[in-house]
């Protein structure tokens, strides 16, 4: 009884126990328990969704208690399908979020790359602008002369002047009576007479040459070309120089002689003397302006006066007569008929005739080099006539070199004396004379 009362008191003091004592065991799995279990499962799923979805809000909210109460029973298979579907959606959303995150990271990396490149790009751009500006400044400075005109403009003017002159020379027509060779030689000399030094200086200055720039700073106008004036005058008035003189230009080394005609033609050859001829035989030239322009033979004395010039060399020395010039010998030769034909034969030539005319002793030599060398060694001047009778060449031999060669004056050559090999000269020898 005591125990029974005790149990009764315990049950009264524990309401839950009292209720359980009255509940059927099946009531443990009543709908209200299942409802609460489903609610907890969904809430856990929703929390997972909210944790994974960083960029969009939940598409639906947690069901309320009232809605939960309306769910009476759920099939376990349906619950499993729902869970699988939820997992697939979660997986898809996770992949989408990973893709978005990857794109975002890539975009941020690109932005970072541009940000890193910019510090290099901007200074490089500024440096390029600075260099271009400096180049333009230098070009502007180099292109200015003392008057403010650009050197480039001055260069173009100088180049135009030269091109115009060159084109004029190239387009010339040969005047009547001029030989082809003389015409070509004079055209070439005319081009060479143009002073291109200022043109070259301006060109170098524009290329940045410092020394040329220093010289170009003082240039204010195109160069005056005084050296070409004589050629311009000649080609404009081809009869301003006698044709006989013009054709002497067939020999390139006679160009200066031809172009000096205007300054030297007025010399009176009768007033010219040879100076001191007592100590050394003079080395006279056919193209000396004192007598070179006179008519002689079939042309100009400069081209045809070799024989009178050699005779004047030797005879003036033998006679100690400075007045016995080539001009005087030429006057006699014209009268005696030797101007056109200086060598009629080996024993009838201008040298043999002149010895009698001017009173110089003469000794004809056999055409043996050893005999001629002996006479030269004894101190006698020797006149040699070489070549052919139709085209003779004259030398005045005055000595020997260490090898025994003959030292001679060539009346047609500026490079005198010349050295003649005795054996070779003997092969073309027409006549040789020793004089005293």
């Amino acid at each position: 009884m005591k125990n029974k009362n005790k149990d009764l008191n315990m049950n009264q003091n524990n309401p839950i126990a009292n209720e359980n004592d009255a509940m059927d065991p099946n009531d443990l799995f009543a709908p209200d328990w299942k409802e609460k279990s489903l609610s907890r499962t969904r809430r856990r799923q929703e929390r997972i969704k909210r944790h994974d979805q960083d960029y969009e809000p939940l598409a639906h909210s947690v069901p309320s208690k009232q809605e939960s109460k309306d769910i009476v029973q759920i099939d376990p298979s349906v619950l499993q399908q729902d869970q699988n579907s939820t997992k697939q959606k979660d997986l898809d959303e996770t992949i989408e979020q990973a893709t978005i995150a990857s794109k975002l990271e890539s975009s941020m990396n690109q932005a970072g790359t541009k940000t890193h490149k910019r510090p290099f790009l901007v200074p490089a751009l500024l440096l390029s602008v600075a260099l271009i500006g400096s180049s333009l400044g230098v070009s502007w400075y180099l292109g200015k002369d003392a008057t403010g005109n650009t050197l480039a403009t001055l260069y173009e003017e100088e180049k135009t002047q030269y091109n115009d002159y060159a084109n004029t020379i190239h387009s010339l027509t040969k005047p009547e009576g001029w030989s082809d060779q003389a015409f070509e030689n004079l055209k070439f000399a005319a081009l060479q007479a143009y002073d291109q030094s200022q043109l070259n200086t301006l060109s170098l200055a524009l290329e940045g040459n410092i020394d040329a720039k220093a010289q170009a700073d003082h240039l204010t106008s195109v160069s005056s070309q005084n050296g070409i004036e004589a050629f311009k005058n000649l080609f404009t008035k081809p009869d301003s120089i006698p044709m006989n003189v013009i054709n002497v230009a067939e020999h390139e080394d006679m160009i200066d002689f031809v172009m000096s005609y205007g300054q030297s033609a007025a010399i009176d050859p009768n007033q010219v003397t040879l100076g001191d001829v007592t100590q050394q035989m003079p080395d006279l030239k056919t193209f000396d302006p004192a007598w070179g322009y006179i008519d002689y033979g079939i042309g100009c004395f400069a081209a045809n006066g070799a024989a009178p010039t050699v005779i004047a060399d030797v005879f003036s020395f033998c006679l100690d007569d400075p007045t016995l010039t080539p001009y005087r010998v030429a006057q006699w030769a014209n009268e005696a008929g030797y101007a056109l034909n200086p060598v009629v034969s080996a024993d009838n030539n201008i040298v043999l005739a002149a010895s009698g005319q001017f009173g110089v002793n003469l000794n004809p030599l056999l055409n043996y080099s050893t005999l001629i060398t002996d006479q030269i060694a004894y101190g006698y001047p020797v006149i040699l006539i070489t070549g052919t009778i139709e085209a003779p060449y004259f030398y005045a031999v005055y000595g020997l070199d260490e090898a025994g060669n003959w030292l001679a004056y060539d009346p047609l050559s500026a490079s005198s004396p010349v050295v003649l090999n005795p054996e070779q000269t003997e092969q073309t020898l027409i006549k040789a004379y020793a004089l005293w």
Side-chain angles (χ1 to χ4, degrees):
M1 187 67 179
K2 183 177 181 179
N3 291 336
K4 185 178 179 178
N5 291 334
K6 181 178 181 180
D7 292 336
L8 180 60
N9 291 334
M10 291 179 63
N11 288 336
Q12 288 176 350
N13 293 333
N14 188 347
I16 295 177
N18 293 334
E19 290 177 4
N20 289 340
D21 291 340
M23 293 175 64
D24 185 66
N26 292 329
D27 289 341
L28 292 174
F29 299 96
D32 184 61
W33 179 89
K34 292 179 180 180
E35 176 185 352
K36 291 180 180 180
S37 175
L38 178 61
S39 178
R40 283 194 301 271
T41 299
R42 288 190 175 182
R43 282 198 299 271
R44 184 169 58 255
Q45 292 173 354
E46 291 300 335
R47 282 197 302 271
I48 293 173
K49 284 185 180 182
R50 283 197 300 271
H51 180 269
D52 293 338
Q53 292 177 352
D54 293 335
Y55 297 99
E56 61 180 45
L58 293 175
H60 51 273
S61 60
V62 179
S64 61
K65 291 183 179 180
Q66 183 63 35
E67 292 172 343
S68 300
K69 290 180 181 180
D70 293 339
I71 300 175
V72 178
Q73 187 175 3
I74 185 167
D75 190 349
S77 63
V78 174
L79 178 60
Q80 183 65 34
Q81 290 178 0
D82 185 53
Q83 288 177 349
N84 292 339
S85 176
T86 300
K87 289 181 180 179
Q88 183 63 40
K89 289 176 66 177
D90 290 344
L91 179 60
D92 293 342
E93 290 177 357
T94 301
I95 293 173
E96 181 180 359
Q97 291 170 8
T99 302
I100 294 174
S102 176
K103 290 182 179 180
L104 179 60
E105 182 179 3
S106 175
S107 176
M108 292 177 66
N109 288 338
Q110 291 179 0
T113 302
K114 291 181 180 179
T115 303
H116 286 299
K117 287 184 178 179
R118 188 175 300 164
F120 296 99
L121 178 60
V122 173
L125 181 60
L126 293 176
L127 179 59
S128 300
V129 172
L131 290 175
I132 293 173
S134 300
S135 300
L136 293 175
V138 170
S139 299
W140 177 86
Y141 177 74
L142 290 176
K144 302 288 288 184
D145 62 14
T147 63
N149 295 324
T150 62
L151 295 182
T153 300
L154 189 57
Y155 169 75
E156 290 299 326
E157 294 175 355
E158 185 75 46
K159 185 169 67 173
T160 298
Q161 176 179 272
Y162 173 75
N163 289 339
D164 290 345
Y165 175 71
N167 291 335
T168 300
I169 297 301
H170 287 304
S171 62
L172 290 172
T173 302
K174 182 174 72 69
E176 185 179 356
W178 288 25
S179 71
D180 292 341
Q181 189 60 54
F183 180 59
E184 292 301 323
N185 287 347
L186 286 169
K187 287 202 309 181
F188 180 77
L191 292 174
Q192 294 297 106
Y194 191 100
D195 183 5
Q196 300 185 49
S197 59
Q198 181 163 312
L199 182 63
N200 294 334
T201 298
L202 290 168
S203 177
L204 291 173
L206 291 175
E207 291 175 1
N209 185 285
I210 302 302
D211 293 335
K213 175 60 177 61
Q215 298 177 33
D217 282 340
H218 303 288
L219 303 178
T220 58
S221 61
V222 294
S223 59
S224 59
Q225 295 290 328
N226 298 327
I228 67 175
E229 292 303 320
F231 288 97
K232 291 170 64 176
N233 182 68
L234 172 62
F235 292 122
T236 303
K237 302 175 181 179
D239 57 350
S240 61
I241 298 178
M243 192 181 305
N244 288 342
V245 176
I246 287 291
N247 287 333
V248 175
E250 292 178 350
H251 308 281
E252 293 182 6
D253 54 356
M254 293 290 190
I255 298 295
D256 290 341
F257 169 80
V258 172
M259 298 310 298
S260 299
Y261 174 81
Q263 295 80 26
S264 304
I267 297 175
D268 183 1
N270 290 306
Q271 303 300 319
V272 177
T273 60
L274 303 179
D276 186 6
V277 294
T278 61
Q279 303 299 318
Q280 185 175 352
M281 186 170 67
D283 182 13
L284 303 176
K285 303 300 177 184
T286 63
F287 48 85
D288 190 310
W291 47 75
Y293 299 111
I294 67 172
D295 290 336
Y296 183 77
I298 58 174
C300 177
F301 186 86
N304 303 314
T309 304
V310 165
I311 291 172
D313 279 338
V314 177
F315 285 23
S316 64
F317 177 66
C318 292
L319 299 172
D320 293 335
D321 185 359
T323 66
L324 189 56
T325 63
Y327 176 71
R328 280 183 59 191
V329 178
Q331 285 182 309
W332 162 78
N334 274 324
E335 295 172 359
Y338 286 104
L340 293 175
N341 241 343
V343 178
V344 178
S345 67
D347 295 321
N348 182 10
N349 57 71
I350 189 174
V351 177
L352 184 62
S355 65
Q357 172 66 29
F358 295 102
V360 177
N361 295 319
L362 176 147
N363 182 25
L365 303 174
L366 296 176
N367 294 346
Y368 294 110
S369 59
T370 55
L371 294 176
I372 297 172
T373 298
D374 289 342
Q375 292 297 307
I376 298 171
Y378 290 152
Y380 293 109
V382 174
I383 292 178
L384 301 177
I385 305 174
T386 65
T388 65
I389 291 176
E390 295 76 16
Y393 208 96
F394 297 83
Y395 293 100
V397 182
Y398 69 92
L400 301 171
D401 66 8
E402 295 179 355
N405 295 312
W406 301 339
L407 300 177
Y409 292 142
D410 182 353
L412 294 174
S413 174
S415 58
S416 191
V418 296
V419 178
L420 302 177
N421 180 273
E423 287 74 21
Q424 292 177 355
T425 306
E426 180 184 322
Q427 303 303 315
T428 62
L429 193 60
I430 297 173
K431 198 65 179 179
Y433 297 98
L435 301 106
W436 66 91

